[in-house]
Amino acid sequence: MNKTNPSIIIVGAGMTGIQLAIKLKAKGFNNIIMLEKSDKVGGTWNHNTYPGIACDVPSHAYTYSFNPNPNWSNHFPKGDEIQKYFTDTVTKYGLHQHIHTGETLLESIFDEEYQQWRVKTDKYDYVCDLLFFATGILHQPNIPQFEGMENFSGTMFHTSQWDHDIDFSNKKVGVVGVGSSAAQCIPELAKDQTTQLKVFQRTPQWIVEVPDKVFTVDEKHRFKTQPWRMKFVREMALLSYRQNTAALTNTDWFSRLKHKIMWFLATKNLNDSVKDPTLRARLTPDYKFGCKRVIINSTFYDAVQKPNVELFTGPIDKFNKDGIVTEQAGFVDLDVIVLATGFDPAAFMRPSTLIGRDGISIDDVWDEKIQAYRSMFVPGFPNCFIMLGPNSPIGNYSVIEMSEKQTDYALQLVEKWMNDEVQTIEAKPEAMAEWNAMLREKMKDTVWVSGCQSWYLDKDGDPLAWPDSWGSWVDAMRAPNMDHFINN
Ligand code: NAP
C-alpha cells in the first residue's frame, strides 16, 4: 500500500468517472487508470444514441460545476451535444493519458496481505490502492424474456443498442415500453408517415410538458462574456428541480402542495393534448404522480395521435416469428421491434466479480439486500468506492450534481486515509445498519412506495433511490463521521 502516491483505478469513463478523475488530478493524484469497456468515453451518452435522445435536465444544470459551457444550443440538451461536452472535457483536462478504452473489468479481489486491490481486465492485471466504481446506474439493459422472443424473424434491439443501419421507412415498427427513452424516440420514429408505428404500453406514464428553448447567438455570447448568467440559469434550474424532488419524498404541507400542483399540471397536459376521451383514458395513470420517474416531454402525446401510430395497452402475451401477440389486441405484425424496456438499476459493478475481505463476494453480501453506507461503502470492501451506489438521489434531479457531491465527500476520506486517520477506508457494519434503518424509516414517506411498479424499487419493494430531500443528501455528504469507519 502506498499512501503517499496511491495507485487509483476508476472503472468507467462516463460522467462520474470523468469528474472524479479531474478532481483527483486537481488534488495532485496522478497515478490513475480509468478502465472503459467501450471504445469511447461518455458512458450513457456514448451508448444511448436513439433518435430524439436528449436530457430532460436543463443543460446548464447538466454541466460540471467547474466547467460551465456557454455554447449549449438548447435548454434541454441533445444527446450528441452532451457526448461532445464530455469528450471535450476529457481533452481539456488531459484525461486521455489515463483512459484505457476497449478494456473490460473482469474481477477485483482485495489482497489482505498488501491491503490492495488486484484488478483483472480482459487485457491486463493491475494492482491499486484505491478502487472507484463509476459504472453508472443505468448501463445494463433490461431485456424482458417474452415467450417466443427468440423466434422473431425481424430486427430487434434495445434503445441503448440502437441499430443505425435500419431504414424505418415503409416498415412496421413496434416499440415496447413508454418510459423516458420511448417518449423521446417514438416522436422521432413517427415523423416518417410511411412508418407504421405500434406502441406497446403496459402502464401509462405521468408526463409533464416543459417546452424546450433554443439559446440565441446573443444569449450564448452573453453566457460567455458574463459567466454569472450561466451560473444564475444553472442555480434556478437546480432550485426548481430540488423543489420537485422534495415533493416526491417529503410529507410536509409545502411538499404535499407542490405534489398536488405537479399532478394538476400533468393532468392538464394530458387533457389539453389528447382530445379523444377513449385514448385519453388509456393514457391516464391509475397511480400517484411521481410514483414512476416523471417524464418531461412535449412531443409524445402528439406522436401517439398521428395517423401512422397505434397504441396497444395492457400486457404482452408472447412474441412469434412475425410480431407480438397482446392479450387485448391479439397479433400485431412487425418488421422491427425496439425494446424501450429500461435498465437493471441494481447491476452496479456487475457482471464483474468483486471479492472483499475473507473472500466475500458482493453478490453474496447483496443477495439479501443491496445497500451501502452513505450510498458508497460496503463493510468488508476496504478502499472501495461505489459512486452513485445504492440509495443515491437518482430521479429527476441532475445526476452530475449528485456525483460531484459524492466525489467531494469521498476525497475528504481519501485525505484522512493519507493522513493516517484510518488504515483503510471501511465502514463499520453497525454504521451501515444504522444508515439503513434511517433510510427505511424515510422510505415510508416517499411516493415511490405508494403502489406502482418502477425501476426505483428493489426486489422487496424498497426504493433504491435517496428517500429524502436534496438538502438532507447534501448534509449526509458534507463531512465524513470518522466514528463510522473502522479505525484499524
Ligand atoms: P423505463 O423508464 O424503465 O421504462 C421502461 C418501459 O418498458 C416501461 O414503460 C415499462 O412498462 C416497459 N416494460 C418493461 N418491461 C416490460 C415488459 N415485460 N412488458 C411490457 N412492458 C415492459 O426505461 P427508460 O425509458 O429506458 O428510462 C430509464 C431511465 O433512464 C429513466 O427513468 C431515466 O432515469 C433515464 N433516462 C433519462 C432521460 C433523460 O432525459 N434524462 C432519457 C431517457 C432515459 P411498465 O411501466 O409497465 O413497467
Side-chain angles (χ1 to χ4, degrees):
M1 180 171 23
N2 182 347
K3 284 195 175 183
T4 324
N5 180 23
S7 50
I8 298 171
I9 288 185
I10 300 173
V11 185
M15 178 280 292
T16 293
I18 293 169
Q19 61 85 26
L20 175 61
I22 292 169
K23 290 191 172 198
L24 282 164
K25 276 173 77 88
K27 291 234 175 249
F29 298 97
N30 227 351
N31 192 355
I32 303 170
I33 288 174
M34 297 176 76
L35 301 173
E36 172 53 57
K37 67 178 178 209
S38 176
D39 59 350
K40 289 195 204 96
V41 302
T44 290
W45 304 101
N46 171 38
H47 293 296
N48 288 266
T49 57
Y50 58 79
I53 183 163
C55 184
D56 59 14
V57 174
S59 46
H60 287 284
Y62 199 84
T63 306
Y64 293 130
S65 61
F66 53 84
N67 189 27
N69 175 19
N71 301 317
W72 287 119
S73 53
N74 288 59
H75 182 64
F76 291 121
K78 305 278 179 269
D80 54 355
E81 201 178 356
I82 301 172
Q83 172 65 359
K84 182 176 179 323
Y85 171 75
F86 286 128
T87 42
D88 288 352
T89 303
V90 163
T91 307
K92 179 172 168 183
Y93 289 87
L95 294 189
H96 282 296
Q97 53 170 320
H98 301 282
I99 301 175
H100 296 204
T101 50
E103 199 173 330
T104 304
L105 174 71
L106 299 179
E107 66 178 28
S108 317
I109 300 179
F110 188 68
D111 184 328
E112 294 275 358
E113 190 181 346
Y114 295 95
Q115 299 284 293
Q116 286 179 312
W117 286 95
R118 304 211 164 269
V119 172
K120 192 183 183 62
T121 72
D122 57 352
K123 292 197 175 142
Y124 303 106
D125 290 349
Y126 303 91
V127 172
C128 70
D129 298 303
L130 302 173
L131 176 60
F132 288 87
F133 288 104
T135 44
I137 301 166
L138 302 172
H139 64 110
Q140 298 288 356
N142 167 44
I143 312 281
Q145 294 308 301
F146 295 106
E147 186 193 329
M149 207 170 178
E150 64 289 354
N151 300 327
F152 179 62
S153 60
T155 307
M156 179 163 57
F157 51 85
H158 186 265
T159 42
S160 66
Q161 297 158 344
W162 199 266
D163 185 340
H164 289 278
D165 291 334
I166 302 274
D167 176 4
F168 292 92
S169 304
N170 297 301
K171 296 241 167 44
K172 297 182 282 293
V173 181
V175 177
V176 180
V178 289
S180 303
S181 305
Q184 290 179 342
C185 74
I186 285 167
E188 291 303 308
L189 291 171
K191 277 182 182 166
D192 183 342
Q193 293 295 311
T194 70
T195 302
Q196 291 175 48
L197 194 59
K198 319 286 180 188
V199 176
F200 295 88
Q201 169 192 278
R202 184 167 64 179
T203 318
Q205 299 269 0
W206 285 113
I207 302 180
V208 173
E209 183 182 17
V210 182
D212 197 5
K213 171 190 173 1
V214 175
F215 291 120
T216 63
V217 173
D218 282 351
E219 279 172 316
K220 287 193 251 185
H221 179 71
R222 282 198 293 274
F223 283 145
K224 198 172 191 156
T225 53
Q226 299 164 333
W228 65 266
R229 286 179 184 273
M230 267 186 293
K231 193 155 172 48
F232 181 75
V233 172
R234 175 190 173 85
E235 290 308 321
M236 286 300 105
L238 288 175
L239 186 67
S240 107
Y241 273 61
R242 266 174 223 155
Q243 295 295 328
N244 299 344
T245 305
L248 306 179
T249 54
N250 295 27
T251 51
D252 57 280
W253 72 267
F254 189 42
S255 298
R256 288 206 309 271
L257 175 68
K258 283 182 295 188
H259 187 265
K260 278 217 159 56
I261 293 171
M262 290 195 290
W263 165 80
F264 171 78
L265 292 174
T267 307
K268 183 172 178 336
N269 180 32
L270 175 60
N271 292 343
D272 292 352
S273 309
V274 182
K275 292 296 168 204
D276 172 13
T278 311
L279 180 62
R280 195 163 63 227
R282 294 164 72 205
L283 289 166
T284 305
D286 64 356
Y287 53 87
K288 277 193 176 177
F289 175 87
C291 188
K292 288 173 183 283
R293 184 182 187 271
V294 175
I295 296 183
I296 298 170
N297 181 285
S298 53
T299 51
F300 175 76
Y301 286 144
D302 283 350
V304 292
Q305 295 176 84
K306 288 193 165 182
N308 59 325
V309 181
E310 204 173 345
L311 181 76
F312 296 92
T313 48
I316 287 172
D317 190 17
K318 57 184 172 193
F319 283 36
N320 66 24
K321 187 169 82 52
D322 299 312
I324 288 177
V325 180
T326 75
E327 285 177 12
Q328 286 176 16
F331 171 64
V332 182
D333 191 12
L334 297 168
D335 303 311
V336 181
I337 296 177
V338 175
L339 298 169
T341 44
F343 299 84
D344 171 8
F348 295 102
M349 74 293 293
R350 278 84 67 88
S352 79
T353 305
L354 176 62
I355 310 280
R357 285 192 199 282
D358 305 324
I360 42 165
S361 148
I362 196 75
D363 295 336
D364 292 338
V365 175
W366 278 353
D367 187 40
E368 204 179 308
K369 195 82 182 159
I370 293 183
Q371 50 193 10
Y373 171 75
R374 290 291 201 270
S375 305
M376 214 186 300
F377 301 107
V378 179
F381 295 79
N383 295 351
C384 172
F385 302 73
I386 303 166
M387 307 303 293
L388 295 181
N391 302 107
S392 291
I394 47 175
N396 283 79
Y397 195 63
S398 170
V399 77
I400 292 192
E401 181 82 342
M402 304 164 204
S403 195
E404 283 200 41
K405 280 278 174 293
Q406 267 188 329
T407 298
D408 295 344
Y409 171 85
L411 293 190
Q412 290 185 56
L413 273 164
V414 170
E415 214 165 290
K416 289 178 184 296
W417 170 73
M418 292 176 80
N419 294 339
D420 270 339
E421 286 183 48
V422 282
Q423 197 56 32
T424 55
I425 303 165
E426 185 179 357
K428 290 178 181 168
E430 55 272 31
M432 188 162 92
E434 200 181 299
W435 173 256
N436 283 313
M438 180 277 289
L439 290 178
R440 245 188 294 282
E441 197 48 42
K442 302 237 182 234
M443 283 169 189
K444 291 188 216 146
D445 287 342
T446 67
V447 72
W448 306 316
V449 294
S450 63
C452 75
Q453 242 328 306
S454 83
W455 65 259
Y456 285 155
L457 304 179
D458 68 12
K459 60 180 168 44
D460 305 322
D462 291 332
L464 264 170
W466 176 247
D468 204 349
S469 65
W470 172 253
S472 68
W473 172 256
V474 174
D475 285 345
M477 292 292 115
R478 202 176 303 283
N481 179 344
M482 297 316 287
D483 291 344
H484 292 176
F485 289 86
I486 295 172
N487 205 338
N488 31 21

Coordinates of all heavy atoms in Angstrom, one line a residue, residues 45 50 53-57 138 142 144 146 158-159 176-182 184 200-203 205 292-293 315-316 340-343 395 453 455-456, ligand 1:
W45 N -24.1 8.5 -22.6 CA -24.3 9.4 -23.8 C -23.5 8.8 -24.9 O -23.7 9.2 -26.1 CB -23.9 10.8 -23.4 CG -24.8 11.3 -22.3 CD1 -24.4 11.4 -21.0 CD2 -26.2 11.6 -22.3 NE1 -25.5 11.8 -20.2 CE2 -26.6 11.9 -21.0 CE3 -27.1 11.7 -23.4 CZ2 -27.9 12.3 -20.7 CZ3 -28.4 12.0 -23.0 CH2 -28.8 12.3 -21.7
Y50 N -30.2 6.7 -29.5 CA -31.5 6.5 -30.2 C -32.0 7.9 -30.7 O -31.7 8.9 -30.2 CB -32.6 5.9 -29.3 CG -32.8 6.6 -28.0 CD1 -33.7 7.7 -27.9 CD2 -32.3 6.1 -26.8 CE1 -33.9 8.3 -26.7 CE2 -32.5 6.8 -25.6 CZ -33.3 7.9 -25.6 OH -33.6 8.5 -24.4
I53 N -32.8 11.4 -28.7 CA -32.2 11.4 -27.3 C -31.8 12.8 -26.9 O -31.2 13.5 -27.6 CB -31.0 10.4 -27.2 CG1 -30.5 10.4 -25.7 CG2 -29.9 10.7 -28.2 CD1 -29.7 9.2 -25.4
A54 N -32.2 13.1 -25.7 CA -31.9 14.4 -25.1 C -31.9 14.2 -23.6 O -32.3 13.1 -23.1 CB -33.0 15.4 -25.5
C55 N -31.6 15.3 -22.9 CA -31.6 15.2 -21.4 C -32.7 16.0 -20.9 O -32.9 17.2 -21.4 CB -30.3 15.7 -20.8 SG -30.2 15.5 -19.1
D56 N -33.5 15.5 -20.0 CA -34.7 16.3 -19.5 C -34.3 17.1 -18.3 O -35.2 17.6 -17.6 CB -35.9 15.4 -19.3 CG -35.7 14.3 -18.3 OD1 -34.7 14.3 -17.6 OD2 -36.5 13.4 -18.2
V57 N -33.0 17.2 -18.0 CA -32.5 18.2 -17.0 C -31.9 19.3 -17.8 O -31.2 19.1 -18.8 CB -31.4 17.5 -16.1 CG1 -30.8 18.5 -15.2 CG2 -32.0 16.3 -15.4
L138 N -27.6 3.2 -14.8 CA -28.5 2.6 -15.8 C -27.6 2.2 -17.0 O -27.6 2.9 -18.0 CB -29.6 3.5 -16.2 CG -30.5 4.0 -15.1 CD1 -31.5 5.1 -15.5 CD2 -31.3 2.8 -14.5
N142 N -32.4 -3.8 -19.5 CA -33.3 -4.8 -19.1 C -34.0 -5.4 -20.3 O -34.8 -4.7 -21.0 CB -34.4 -4.1 -18.2 CG -35.6 -4.9 -17.9 OD1 -35.4 -6.1 -17.6 ND2 -36.8 -4.4 -18.0
P144 N -36.7 -8.0 -21.2 CA -37.6 -8.9 -20.6 C -37.6 -10.2 -21.5 O -37.4 -10.1 -22.7 CB -39.0 -8.2 -20.8 CG -38.7 -6.8 -21.1 CD -37.3 -6.8 -21.7
F146 N -39.8 -12.5 -23.1 CA -41.1 -12.8 -23.5 C -41.1 -14.2 -24.1 O -40.1 -14.5 -24.8 CB -41.6 -11.8 -24.5 CG -41.7 -10.4 -24.0 CD1 -40.8 -9.4 -24.3 CD2 -42.8 -10.0 -23.2 CE1 -41.0 -8.1 -23.8 CE2 -42.9 -8.8 -22.7 CZ -42.0 -7.8 -23.0
H158 N -32.4 -3.1 -28.2 CA -32.8 -2.3 -27.1 C -32.4 -0.8 -27.4 O -31.5 -0.6 -28.2 CB -32.0 -2.7 -25.9 CG -32.3 -2.0 -24.6 ND1 -31.6 -0.9 -24.1 CD2 -33.3 -2.3 -23.7 CE1 -32.2 -0.5 -23.0 NE2 -33.2 -1.4 -22.7
T159 N -33.1 0.1 -26.8 CA -32.9 1.5 -27.1 C -31.4 1.9 -26.9 O -30.9 2.8 -27.6 CB -33.8 2.5 -26.3 OG1 -33.8 2.0 -24.9 CG2 -35.2 2.6 -26.8
V176 N -41.7 -1.3 -27.6 CA -42.2 -1.9 -26.3 C -41.8 -1.0 -25.2 O -40.6 -0.8 -24.9 CB -41.7 -3.3 -26.1 CG1 -42.2 -3.9 -24.7 CG2 -42.0 -4.2 -27.2
G177 N -42.7 -0.4 -24.5 CA -42.4 0.5 -23.3 C -42.7 1.9 -23.7 O -42.7 2.3 -24.8
V178 N -43.1 2.7 -22.6 CA -43.4 4.1 -22.8 C -42.7 4.9 -21.7 O -43.3 5.9 -21.2 CB -44.9 4.4 -22.8 CG1 -45.6 3.9 -24.1 CG2 -45.6 3.8 -21.6
G179 N -41.5 4.5 -21.4 CA -40.7 5.3 -20.4 C -40.0 6.5 -21.0 O -40.4 6.9 -22.1
S180 N -39.0 7.1 -20.3 CA -38.4 8.3 -20.8 C -37.7 8.1 -22.2 O -37.8 9.0 -23.0 CB -37.3 8.7 -19.8 OG -37.8 8.9 -18.5
S181 N -37.1 6.9 -22.4 CA -36.4 6.7 -23.7 C -37.4 6.6 -24.8 O -37.3 7.2 -25.8 CB -35.6 5.4 -23.6 OG -34.7 5.4 -22.5
A182 N -38.5 5.8 -24.5 CA -39.6 5.6 -25.5 C -40.2 7.0 -25.9 O -40.5 7.3 -27.0 CB -40.6 4.6 -25.0
Q184 N -39.0 9.7 -25.9 CA -38.2 10.6 -26.8 C -38.0 10.0 -28.2 O -38.0 10.7 -29.2 CB -36.8 10.7 -26.2 CG -36.8 11.6 -24.9 CD -35.5 11.8 -24.2 OE1 -34.5 11.0 -24.5 NE2 -35.3 12.8 -23.4
F200 N -46.4 -0.3 -27.6 CA -46.9 -1.3 -26.6 C -46.7 -0.7 -25.2 O -45.6 -0.7 -24.7 CB -46.2 -2.6 -26.8 CG -46.5 -3.3 -28.1 CD1 -45.7 -3.0 -29.2 CD2 -47.6 -4.1 -28.2 CE1 -46.0 -3.5 -30.4 CE2 -47.9 -4.7 -29.5 CZ -47.1 -4.4 -30.6
Q201 N -47.8 -0.3 -24.6 CA -47.8 0.4 -23.3 C -48.4 -0.6 -22.3 O -49.6 -0.9 -22.4 CB -48.6 1.7 -23.4 CG -48.9 2.3 -22.0 CD -49.9 3.4 -22.1 OE1 -49.6 4.5 -22.4 NE2 -51.1 3.1 -21.7
R202 N -47.6 -1.0 -21.3 CA -48.1 -1.9 -20.3 C -48.8 -1.0 -19.2 O -49.9 -1.3 -18.7 CB -47.0 -2.7 -19.6 CG -47.5 -3.7 -18.6 CD -46.5 -4.7 -18.2 NE -45.3 -4.1 -17.6 CZ -44.3 -4.8 -17.1 NH1 -44.3 -6.2 -17.3 NH2 -43.2 -4.3 -16.6
T203 N -48.1 0.1 -18.9 CA -48.6 1.0 -17.9 C -48.5 2.5 -18.4 O -47.4 2.8 -18.8 CB -47.8 0.9 -16.6 OG1 -47.5 -0.5 -16.3 CG2 -48.5 1.5 -15.4
Q205 N -47.9 6.6 -18.3 CA -46.9 7.4 -17.5 C -47.5 8.8 -17.3 O -48.2 9.3 -18.1 CB -45.7 7.5 -18.3 CG -45.0 6.2 -18.7 CD -43.9 5.8 -17.6 OE1 -43.7 6.5 -16.6 NE2 -43.3 4.7 -17.9
K292 N -43.7 6.5 -10.6 CA -42.6 6.1 -11.5 C -41.9 7.4 -11.8 O -42.4 8.5 -11.7 CB -43.2 5.6 -12.8 CG -43.8 4.2 -12.7 CD -44.5 4.0 -14.1 CE -45.2 2.6 -14.0 NZ -44.4 1.5 -14.2
R293 N -40.7 7.4 -12.4 CA -39.9 8.6 -12.7 C -40.8 9.5 -13.6 O -41.2 9.0 -14.7 CB -38.6 8.3 -13.3 CG -37.8 9.5 -13.6 CD -36.5 9.2 -14.3 NE -35.6 10.3 -14.4 CZ -35.6 11.1 -15.5 NH1 -36.4 10.9 -16.5 NH2 -34.7 12.1 -15.5
P315 N -50.8 -6.0 -21.1 CA -49.6 -6.8 -21.1 C -49.4 -7.5 -22.5 O -50.3 -7.7 -23.3 CB -49.8 -7.9 -20.1 CG -51.1 -7.6 -19.4 CD -51.8 -6.5 -20.2
I316 N -48.1 -7.8 -22.8 CA -47.7 -8.5 -24.0 C -47.9 -10.0 -23.6 O -47.4 -10.4 -22.6 CB -46.3 -8.2 -24.4 CG1 -46.3 -6.8 -25.1 CG2 -45.7 -9.2 -25.4 CD1 -45.0 -6.2 -25.4
A340 N -37.8 -0.6 -25.6 CA -37.5 0.6 -24.8 C -37.9 0.2 -23.3 O -38.7 0.9 -22.6 CB -38.4 1.7 -25.2
T341 N -37.3 -0.9 -22.9 CA -37.7 -1.6 -21.6 C -36.8 -1.2 -20.4 O -36.9 -1.9 -19.4 CB -37.8 -3.1 -21.9 OG1 -36.6 -3.5 -22.6 CG2 -39.0 -3.5 -22.7
G342 N -36.0 -0.2 -20.6 CA -35.3 0.3 -19.4 C -34.0 -0.5 -19.1 O -33.5 -1.3 -19.9
F343 N -33.6 -0.4 -17.8 CA -32.3 -0.9 -17.4 C -32.4 -1.6 -16.1 O -33.4 -1.5 -15.4 CB -31.3 0.3 -17.2 CG -31.1 1.0 -18.5 CD1 -32.0 2.0 -19.0 CD2 -30.0 0.7 -19.4 CE1 -31.8 2.6 -20.2 CE2 -29.9 1.3 -20.6 CZ -30.7 2.3 -21.0
G395 N -33.3 10.2 -9.8 CA -34.7 10.7 -10.0 C -34.7 11.7 -11.1 O -34.0 11.5 -12.1
Q453 N -45.3 -0.2 -9.9 CA -44.1 -0.9 -10.1 C -43.1 0.1 -10.8 O -43.6 0.9 -11.7 CB -44.3 -2.0 -11.1 CG -44.1 -3.4 -10.6 CD -42.9 -3.5 -9.6 OE1 -41.8 -3.1 -9.9 NE2 -43.2 -4.1 -8.4
W455 N -38.6 1.0 -11.7 CA -37.2 0.6 -11.5 C -36.6 1.2 -10.3 O -35.5 0.8 -9.9 CB -36.4 0.9 -12.8 CG -36.2 2.3 -13.2 CD1 -36.8 3.0 -14.1 CD2 -35.2 3.3 -12.7 NE1 -36.4 4.3 -14.2 CE2 -35.4 4.5 -13.3 CE3 -34.2 3.2 -11.7 CZ2 -34.6 5.6 -13.1 CZ3 -33.4 4.3 -11.4 CH2 -33.6 5.5 -12.1
Y456 N -37.3 2.1 -9.6 CA -36.8 2.7 -8.4 C -36.8 1.6 -7.3 O -36.1 1.8 -6.3 CB -37.7 3.8 -7.9 CG -37.5 5.1 -8.6 CD1 -38.6 6.0 -8.6 CD2 -36.4 5.5 -9.2 CE1 -38.5 7.3 -9.2 CE2 -36.3 6.7 -9.9 CZ -37.4 7.6 -9.9 OH -37.3 8.8 -10.5
Ligands
NAP1 P1 -38.1 2.9 -18.0 O1 -38.5 4.2 -17.6 O2 -37.8 1.9 -17.0 O3 -39.3 2.3 -18.9 C1 -39.4 1.0 -19.3 C2 -40.7 0.8 -20.1 O4 -40.7 -0.5 -20.6 C3 -41.9 1.0 -19.2 O5 -42.9 1.5 -20.0 C4 -42.2 -0.5 -18.8 O6 -43.5 -0.7 -18.5 C5 -41.8 -1.2 -20.1 N1 -41.6 -2.6 -19.8 C6 -40.5 -3.1 -19.1 N2 -40.7 -4.4 -19.1 C7 -41.8 -4.8 -19.8 C8 -42.5 -6.0 -20.1 N3 -42.0 -7.1 -19.6 N4 -43.6 -5.9 -20.8 C9 -44.1 -4.7 -21.2 N5 -43.5 -3.5 -21.0 C10 -42.4 -3.6 -20.2 O7 -36.9 2.8 -19.1 P2 -36.3 4.0 -20.0 O8 -37.4 4.7 -20.7 O9 -35.1 3.5 -20.7 O10 -35.8 5.0 -18.9 C11 -35.0 4.6 -17.8 C12 -34.4 5.7 -17.1 O11 -33.4 6.3 -17.9 C13 -35.3 6.9 -16.9 O12 -36.2 6.7 -15.8 C14 -34.3 8.0 -16.6 O13 -33.8 7.9 -15.3 C15 -33.2 7.6 -17.6 N6 -33.5 8.4 -18.8 C16 -33.3 9.7 -18.7 C17 -33.5 10.5 -19.8 C18 -33.4 12.0 -19.7 O14 -33.9 12.7 -20.5 N7 -32.7 12.5 -18.6 C19 -33.9 9.9 -21.0 C20 -34.0 8.6 -21.1 C21 -33.8 7.8 -20.0 P3 -44.1 -0.6 -17.0 O15 -44.1 0.8 -16.7 O16 -45.4 -1.3 -17.0 O17 -43.1 -1.4 -16.2

